[in-house]
């Protein structure tokens, strides 16, 4: 049975029952066993269908009061996204797809290839069982989007590394050039 649907799902969850557990563990007194049990409530199959995982740190007082440095304007980001979508549409012209998220994984792996050696870390993660076949396809889609945002013709190693970080939440030492896309 086929149930076609197009939607964007955004999930948010606290890292622990008290909500204060961060990378530094500041302010959280939850035992590690409680944190593991709490985080395990989100099943592996559900999480495998989540494309991007981003840990958000608490907002600082200066940012909250407007004293922090502002990011890019919405117009600047919108222009870059429009250019990336146009780049993807040009690449996908003549196919039934218009954006990276629509392209089947098989096509991404065979028809549009990444730079030589760019998939090394992703392939190792698949071999070690840290990344599923579905996860690899999603990493490829994310890497293509990162390359499109950066104006590159195909994903390079830093694009795949950033895609893996966004997919798994594990930092992999992404070079500064790829970080500029964020």
């Amino acid at each position: 049975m086929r149930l076609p649907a197009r939607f964007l799902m955004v999930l948010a969850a606290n890292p622990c029952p008290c909500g204060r557990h961060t990378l530094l563990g500041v302010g959280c007194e939850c035992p590690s066993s409680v944190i593991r049990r709490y985080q395990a409530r989100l099943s592996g199959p559900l999480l495998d269908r989540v494309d991007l995982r981003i840990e958000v740190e608490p907002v600082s007082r200066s940012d909250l009061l407007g004293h922090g440095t502002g990011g890019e304007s919405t117009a600047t980001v919108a222009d870059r996204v429009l250019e990336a979508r146009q780049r993807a549409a040009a690449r996908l012209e003549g196919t039934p797809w218009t954006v990276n998220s629509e392209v089947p994984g098989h096509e991404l792996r065979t028809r549009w290839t990444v730079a030589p050696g760019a998939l090394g870390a992703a392939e190792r993660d698949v071999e070690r069982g840290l990344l599923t076949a579905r996860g690899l396809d999603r990493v490829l889609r994310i890497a293509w989007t990162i390359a499109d945002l950066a104006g590159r013709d195909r994903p390079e190693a830093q694009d795949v590394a950033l895609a893996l970080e966004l997919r798994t939440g594990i930092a992999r030492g992404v070079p500064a050039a790829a970080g500029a896309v964020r």
Side-chain angles (χ1 to χ4, degrees):
M1 180 185 312
R2 184 175 176 172
L3 303 170
R6 288 185 59 168
F7 64 94
L8 175 65
M9 179 173 59
V10 178
L11 305 173
N14 284 330
C16 68
C18 76
R20 293 188 303 268
H21 181 73
T22 65
L23 291 175
L24 304 175
V26 177
C28 174
E29 295 179 8
C30 298
S32 59
S33 61
V34 170
I35 294 171
R36 278 193 306 278
R37 189 170 47 249
Y38 182 80
Q39 292 177 351
R41 293 170 62 186
L42 294 175
S43 72
L46 173 66
L47 290 176
D48 198 32
R49 287 162 174 82
V50 175
D51 290 352
L52 306 175
R53 299 176 194 168
I54 301 169
E55 185 167 323
V56 180
E57 291 294 320
V59 178
S60 71
R61 184 175 54 134
S62 64
D63 285 339
L64 188 60
L65 297 174
H67 302 297
T69 59
E72 293 177 284
S73 72
T74 301
T76 300
V77 174
D79 289 343
R80 190 168 62 246
V81 169
L82 179 62
E83 289 174 17
R85 289 181 69 95
Q86 290 169 343
R87 179 179 292 283
R91 180 177 58 254
L92 300 171
E93 189 174 2
T95 72
W97 315 294
T98 56
V99 293
N100 296 325
S101 65
E102 297 172 341
V103 182
H106 174 75
E107 296 290 330
L108 285 174
R109 291 188 305 273
T110 58
R111 192 173 192 176
W112 295 283
T113 58
V114 300
L119 284 177
E123 290 169 347
R124 283 189 296 278
D125 280 3
V126 169
E127 289 170 8
R128 294 188 336 219
L130 300 174
L131 192 64
T132 64
R134 178 185 292 118
L136 177 61
D137 290 347
R138 291 175 189 249
V139 165
L140 282 170
R141 288 185 190 102
I142 296 166
W144 273 104
T145 300
I146 292 167
D148 288 337
L149 285 167
R152 289 190 273 280
D153 292 333
R154 64 182 179 174
E156 297 174 1
Q158 72 246 25
D159 302 322
V160 175
L162 180 54
L164 274 168
E165 180 180 338
L166 292 170
R167 169 79 182 155
T168 64
I170 300 170
R172 298 168 189 274
V174 178
V181 173
R182 294 180 186 202

